[in-house]
Amino acid sequence: MRAEIINVTDEIKQAISLLRRHLDWDQAVRRLDWLNDKAEDPNLWNDASEAQKLMRERQHLDDSISGVKALDQQLNDNIELIAMGEDEGDESIVKEAEEALKTLRTEANRRQVEAMLSGEADSNDTYVEVHSGAGGTESQDWANILLRMYTRWAERQGYKVELLEVHDGEEAGIKSATILVKGHNAFGWLKTESGVHRLVRISPYDSAARRHTSFSSIWVYPVVDDSINIEINESDCRIDTYRSSGAGGQHVNTTDSAVRITHIPSGIVVACQQERSQHKNRAKAWDMLRARMYEAELMKREAAANAEAASKSDIGWGHQIRSYVLQPYQLVKDLRTGVESTAPSDVLDGELNEFMEAALAHRISGKPDLGADAE
């Protein structure tokens, strides 16, 4: 077997192994057996909502398990075909099986991405918050660049983006902003972006043209639908209204229509100023708070997900997940996965899929972080 095909088979085997680990294979098979038995219970549909939930889970597990079995079977079949073709000196059989393996590798990679996006809320729309770190104008400008980067990424994916809240910087950039990204698997793709992002560049605001390091943080949390019950006591919340900030002119709101809600026990704060009506902004802010509370619960369940701790940490040295270096060289490096790009302008224009896919795979494989000191 040629070295190239050996590498292809190794990649497929690794993908199958990761898929099995992600499914928790033995437990998934037992769960599917139980769901199949449950589907035969005539009393199941006495509770239509619960029955639909179980049937969706059954379909998902059946598709996932069948897919892994099919990959495994096709891999073994084509390896046997290659061995047979080599023994018989039939190059056409060998070539056909090798092409089938390359196609199978593509299918394995596709299933890996699907598996990465099979979390409880991965298919939901998502909120993305951007917060500038210490450093005044520099970090506020960096926060604005990140806001544009995620907006451009979402548009490239065909997602719809709504700006819900923005707090402008004193001279340039933004202190904070929140966008709503709408589209299938929006949260699944963006969830690993939570954390601190570091920029190194020659400052456009420094007359001496010195190099500056700036930090901003990203926080990603899913929109929750009506089927998820999140109970929040209004007595635990403080509601503030204020005048919307904006670029001026026709966009300035002359009434206190913007709404900020602080959940006192957890310290979670959300704000919305998208609508000109305080009533609508208040309703949307409550939705955002429910989403943040739900995301906090999700993070408790996902022990492998350390994004929450990163984004709650100080926005500075030692807590970043990715570095964007524009001077003295050009490099974007993810400090968790080691993925690099020597085209930071493309990355800042929204080309993020390679970084996101690697971070999702990193969650499944459970490999340790490379560390914040990795450069």
Side-chain angles (χ1 to χ4, degrees):
M1 190 182 294
R2 295 186 297 117
E4 178 192 1
I5 300 304
I6 291 174
N7 290 336
V8 170
T9 59
D10 286 345
E11 287 181 35
I12 297 170
K13 288 177 182 177
Q14 183 179 25
I16 292 172
S17 177
L18 287 173
L19 287 167
R20 285 176 175 270
R21 186 187 308 174
H22 176 72
L23 279 170
D24 192 353
W25 185 260
D26 292 340
Q27 182 175 337
V29 171
R30 287 194 296 269
R31 178 68 175 174
L32 180 59
D33 288 341
W34 181 85
L35 288 168
N36 286 333
D37 289 341
K38 193 73 174 174
E40 303 298 324
D41 185 352
N43 296 320
L44 173 64
W45 291 95
N46 290 344
D47 184 341
S49 177
E50 180 65 16
Q52 289 173 356
K53 180 180 177 182
L54 289 176
M55 290 304 98
R56 283 195 298 268
E57 181 187 359
R58 178 193 179 205
Q59 185 63 50
H60 168 69
L61 273 179
D62 188 43
D63 290 346
S64 299
I65 291 172
S66 298
V68 173
K69 287 181 176 178
L71 287 175
D72 207 13
Q73 185 63 51
Q74 291 176 53
L75 174 63
N76 292 329
D77 288 347
N78 283 292
I79 289 174
E80 290 176 7
L81 275 175
I82 290 174
M84 183 180 72
E86 289 175 342
D87 289 343
E88 297 177 358
D90 190 334
E91 186 61 29
S92 63
I93 291 179
V94 173
K95 187 174 181 179
E96 184 179 342
E98 287 180 346
E99 290 303 315
L101 283 174
K102 291 177 183 178
T103 301
L104 192 63
R105 174 177 59 181
T106 301
E107 173 66 13
N109 290 336
R110 184 187 68 80
R111 285 198 168 270
Q112 270 191 280
V113 173
E114 285 184 353
M116 295 172 197
L117 301 179
S118 60
E120 184 174 347
D122 283 355
S123 63
N124 293 20
D125 299 338
T126 191
Y127 298 105
V128 179
E129 289 185 13
V130 184
H131 296 273
S132 63
T137 302
E138 283 295 328
S139 63
Q140 289 167 17
D141 187 50
W142 173 222
N144 199 38
I145 292 171
L146 286 174
L147 178 63
R148 178 187 180 277
M149 180 180 77
Y150 287 110
T151 300
R152 292 285 294 123
W153 173 85
E155 291 170 348
R156 285 170 179 261
Q157 300 297 115
Y159 293 156
K160 182 179 178 182
V161 180
E162 295 180 11
L163 179 64
L164 300 182
E165 181 270 339
V166 63
H167 189 182
D168 293 326
E170 287 88 356
E171 297 180 27
I174 57 173
K175 292 182 179 178
S176 66
T178 304
I179 58 174
L180 171 60
V181 180
K182 292 183 174 181
H184 183 61
N185 283 334
F187 175 66
W189 277 108
L190 283 162
K191 65 183 180 182
T192 59
E193 292 299 295
S194 289
V196 177
H197 297 245
R198 168 182 173 237
L199 173 70
V200 180
R201 66 171 177 175
I202 300 296
S203 170
Y205 304 101
D206 187 338
S207 58
R210 289 172 294 191
R211 198 156 44 121
H212 285 247
T213 298
S214 307
F215 299 93
S216 289
S217 71
I218 300 296
W219 187 292
V220 180
Y221 51 101
V223 174
V224 297
D225 55 38
D226 294 337
S227 66
I228 299 171
N229 184 29
I230 305 294
E231 293 185 4
I232 302 174
N233 293 324
E234 290 197 31
S235 60
D236 290 337
C237 299
R238 185 178 71 246
I239 302 175
D240 301 306
T241 58
Y242 59 97
R243 190 163 297 177
S244 300
S245 62
Q250 63 180 334
H251 300 294
V252 171
N253 203 325
T254 56
T255 61
D256 291 343
S257 62
V259 175
R260 181 188 300 112
I261 302 178
T262 303
H263 185 252
I264 297 170
S266 65
I268 292 174
V269 181
V270 296
C272 183
Q273 63 180 45
Q274 177 195 29
E275 307 289 346
R276 300 184 71 83
S277 159
Q278 184 186 120
H279 175 74
K280 291 181 179 178
N281 282 330
R282 184 185 296 257
K284 189 152 286 189
W286 278 113
D287 287 342
M288 292 168 67
L289 181 59
R290 289 176 63 241
R292 282 286 298 271
M293 299 290 284
Y294 176 61
E295 185 259 359
E297 179 61 29
L298 278 182
M299 297 303 282
K300 291 178 184 177
R301 298 184 216 168
E302 296 183 18
N306 59 5
E308 182 183 39
S311 56
K312 281 188 174 179
S313 303
D314 294 336
I315 306 178
W317 289 102
H319 303 290
Q320 61 266 23
I321 64 168
R322 191 176 301 144
S323 286
Y324 306 72
V325 181
L326 307 185
Q327 291 287 343
Y329 50 87
Q330 300 268 305
L331 181 69
V332 179
K333 181 169 183 176
D334 195 289
L335 306 178
R336 302 160 298 176
T337 64
V339 170
E340 297 181 353
S341 170
T342 55
S345 60
D346 292 340
V347 175
L348 294 174
D349 198 40
E351 291 190 7
L352 291 166
N353 281 6
E354 182 181 7
F355 293 95
M356 292 178 176
E357 288 176 9
L360 288 165
H362 173 265
R363 279 194 173 191
I364 293 178
S365 64
K367 293 178 182 177
D369 289 356
L370 298 181
D373 296 329
E375 292 293 341

